[in-house]
Amino acid sequence: MQIDSIDVQILKLLNKNARIQWKEIGEEIHMTGQAVGNRIKKMEDNGVIQAYSIVIDELKVGLPFTAFVIFYMNAHTHDDLLKFIATRNEISEAHRVSGDACYLLKITVRSQEALNHLLNDLLIYGNYQLYLSIKEVKKHNNASLMEVEKNTTL
């Protein structure tokens, strides 16, 4: 699907507040709420908009430990590891990466004990390097949306 500058404006507003009403978006970009809704539906149907979510402050909900794990496989098949990742709520992000490692995992847990337990369970599938987050300096990355905006026609 080719998106235009109006779609980008809609995406920016939804990115700031996914609960914004279509009518409010329309007022902002000089369209009717129904026209905005039609564009949003089209972007949903074409997979441009995949989900709506909330951003949680992990510290305020009792998840003070964030770790990044560089993971190295010890077997040729990734299927078992992928099943493990899918079942573990502590793993909030998983990326297959290039280079020496196989995966980069973001883990958020309540305690060092919970982190140790998860890491012990991971050892079945391979080895890892662990990096603990000591301070989050940026939560949102709108870079991809900015790149899309650069590549759209006005």
Side-chain angles (χ1 to χ4, degrees), residues 137-152:
V137 295
K138 184 175 182 180
K139 185 80 166 187
H140 301 284
N141 183 3
N142 297 326
S144 59
L145 193 51
M146 300 304 277
E147 286 301 314
V148 168
E149 185 176 30
K150 284 182 193 175
N151 295 322
T152 57

Side-chain angles (χ1 to χ4, degrees), residues 33-44:
Q34 183 176 0
V36 168
N38 291 338
R39 282 179 172 261
I40 290 172
K41 177 82 170 104
K42 185 176 178 184
M43 287 189 281
E44 290 171 346

Side-chain angles (χ1 to χ4, degrees), residues 9-137:
Q9 290 177 57
I10 292 169
L11 290 170
K12 282 177 149 182
L13 291 167
L14 286 171
N15 196 43
K16 283 184 195 172
N17 177 8
R19 295 177 52 163
I20 190 171
Q21 299 293 312
W22 295 347
K23 181 182 176 188
E24 292 177 62
I25 294 172
E27 290 169 359
E28 199 63 42
I29 64 172
H30 310 293
M31 291 181 73
T32 66
Q34 183 176 0
V36 168
N38 291 338
R39 282 179 172 261
I40 290 172
K41 177 82 170 104
K42 185 176 178 184
M43 287 189 281
E44 290 171 346
D45 291 345
N46 285 288
V48 173
I49 298 174
Q50 295 180 350
Y52 296 89
S53 64
I54 60 173
V55 177
I56 296 171
D57 184 328
E58 286 94 356
L59 290 174
K60 291 182 179 175
V61 296
L63 299 169
F65 291 93
T66 299
F68 296 92
V69 173
I70 309 275
F71 192 76
Y72 306 89
M73 295 292 299
N74 65 1
H76 297 291
T77 178
H78 295 240
D79 293 341
D80 291 338
L81 175 67
L82 295 176
K83 288 176 189 172
F84 173 82
I85 289 170
T87 64
R88 299 303 293 258
N89 292 330
E90 307 97 321
I91 302 173
S92 59
E93 292 184 34
H95 301 265
R96 188 153 185 200
V97 296
S98 64
D100 293 334
C102 297
Y103 292 92
L104 172 65
L105 309 176
K106 180 181 177 186
I107 298 170
T108 309
V109 292
R110 294 189 185 283
S111 66
Q112 278 187 306
E113 182 180 346
L115 179 59
N116 282 325
H117 181 69
L118 178 67
L119 294 174
N120 286 339
D121 291 346
L122 264 175
L123 284 172
I124 296 168
Y125 307 100
N127 204 355
Y128 61 83
Q129 287 182 315
L130 175 70
Y131 297 89
L132 292 176
S133 174
I134 55 174
K135 181 180 180 183
E136 183 178 74
V137 295

